[in-house]
Amino acid sequence: MARRKPGEGQTALITGASAGIGVDLAECFAKDGYDLILTARSQGPLDEVAARLKATYGVNTHTIAQDLGAFGGGSAVAAAIAAKGLNVDVVVNNAGYGHAGALTSSDLPTQLGMIDLNVRALVELTYLYWDRMLANKRGGVLNVASTAAFQPGPLMANYYASKAYVLSFSEAMWEEARDTGVNVSCLCPGPTKSKFRERAGTDKTKLARDGAPVMSSAPVARAGYEAWKRNRRVIVTGGRNAFQAGMVKYLPRETLLKIVRNIQSPQ
Ligand SMILES: NC(=O)c1ccc[n+]([C@@H]2O[C@H](COP(=O)([O-])OP(=O)(O)OC[C@H]3O[C@@H](n4cnc5c(N)ncnc54)[C@H](OP(=O)(O)O)[C@@H]3O)[C@@H](O)[C@H]2O)c1
């Protein structure tokens, strides 16, 4: 008899699953037998990812096109899931975007939308499925923050702050879930190949010019997934990123602010 895969009979909801890290996260869950609910705004790419993973791993896949930055976007996704008669065991809050530059270098909706997507939708989806996870004593939440979460980010202030929120929230929920059977992890990638950098403009900063290594999205996702399976509280991808994130607490705050301002400056 074939051995049961760890995710069989469970469903993972993955946000931002039409591109980048989210696609690779979806693949990690599918490989372990989880059925998938994939969401993002773009229906076409979602359908392509869903069809490929279903064909490769034989899992059930569903797609929901929704702007999670819209007010109530998380609840709209949950309503669509309920209407399909599905349940969610694992929430992977991956969708997010950033904007490099001074606060007023983009319009207000771009700045506030970052909070709506990176923070508000993440809390909303966690809230909606949390009690069910606790009652079932299984599943959990994998939140995608960033190495930006470990310090304030002059010239990308709102994005760094949004990711600091994600890290803080995730660690607190990890503690709340202690001994419940529910896993909570916060994945903190450094620069990663995806559409993010172009959209955010981080490919034009001194950090990008000075050769900060850019990881592929597949190993980033795998590291996050493996960490989540072991209920690791926080995972920073890449040795250099982990070292830098660990050093932050030893630097005087004003020195740190100057360093970050410098690396976030345009080339
Ligand atoms: N790449 C990096 O260097 C890096 C570093 C650290 C952390 N991260 C974090 O990693 C996560 C994934 O980013 P990525 O690098 O994979 O970027 P990406 O390639 O731009 O993918 C972002 C995903 O989020 C979805 N998304 C964007 N806006 C959305 C909205 N309003 N509603 C619903 N879905 C939306 C996108 O799909 P649609 O456009 O179809 O909606 C896409 O599926 C983000 O939280 C990001 O902050 C990335």
Side-chain angles (χ1 to χ4, degrees):
M1 207 173 77
R3 237 179 78 197
R4 248 176 98 82
K5 292 182 177 177
E8 271 178 42
Q10 296 191 61
T11 302
L13 166 65
I14 297 159
T15 74
S18 64
I21 299 168
V23 174
D24 294 302
L25 282 167
E27 180 140 14
C28 291
F29 279 89
K31 203 170 182 179
D32 261 354
Y34 285 89
D35 290 333
L36 301 175
I37 303 170
L38 308 177
T39 185
R41 291 167 303 179
S42 320
Q43 185 72 63
L46 279 178
D47 288 342
E48 281 170 32
V49 176
R52 178 173 66 81
L53 296 180
K54 185 185 174 109
T56 309
Y57 300 106
V59 296
N60 296 313
T61 57
H62 308 268
T63 59
I64 297 168
Q66 170 67 42
D67 181 355
L68 275 174
F71 189 86
S75 299
V77 167
I81 291 169
K84 288 175 191 278
L86 300 170
N87 279 315
V88 171
D89 299 285
V90 183
V91 177
V92 181
N93 286 303
N94 161 75
Y97 74 89
H99 178 81
L103 183 66
T104 52
S105 66
S106 74
D107 58 16
L108 188 56
T110 300
Q111 293 294 340
L112 293 182
M114 220 180 293
I115 301 173
D116 290 336
L117 181 63
N118 301 7
V119 175
R120 180 177 235 287
L122 175 144
V123 175
E124 190 175 11
L125 286 173
T126 305
Y127 182 101
L128 289 170
Y129 293 106
W130 187 250
D131 282 347
R132 181 174 191 275
M133 290 171 190
L134 292 179
N136 290 343
K137 299 182 173 59
R138 70 174 192 185
V141 180
L142 172 56
N143 288 332
V144 182
S146 164
T147 47
F150 295 94
Q151 65 281 299
L155 298 182
M156 206 172 175
N158 188 31
Y159 177 73
Y160 276 57
S162 76
K163 294 302 184 177
Y165 184 104
V166 174
L167 177 61
S168 172
F169 176 73
S170 304
E171 289 194 87
M173 297 308 284
W174 177 87
E175 176 57 33
E176 287 193 27
R178 187 188 285 276
D179 299 329
T180 62
V182 174
N183 290 0
V184 181
S185 295
C186 187
L187 169 61
C188 299
T192 306
K193 277 177 214 149
S194 75
K195 293 180 178 167
F196 172 90
R197 288 157 57 77
E198 206 178 318
R199 183 176 182 193
T202 49
D203 53 342
K204 296 181 187 68
T205 61
K206 282 189 186 163
L207 177 66
R209 183 199 62 192
D210 293 344
V214 181
M215 288 179 72
S216 299
S217 55
V220 168
R222 257 196 320 273
Y225 176 66
E226 291 301 328
W228 174 79
K229 279 208 292 189
R230 297 196 305 279
N231 197 27
R232 266 184 67 185
R233 202 178 75 253
V234 179
I235 169 79
V236 179
T237 53
R240 178 169 153 163
N241 295 328
F243 175 75
Q244 286 172 346
M247 285 303 289
V248 158
K249 54 180 171 290
Y250 301 109
L251 287 173
R253 205 67 167 168
E254 287 193 17
T255 308
L256 180 63
L257 288 166
K258 277 200 189 109
I259 293 172
V260 180
R261 182 186 184 138
N262 181 49
I263 61 173
Q264 286 299 150
S265 301
Q267 293 171 15

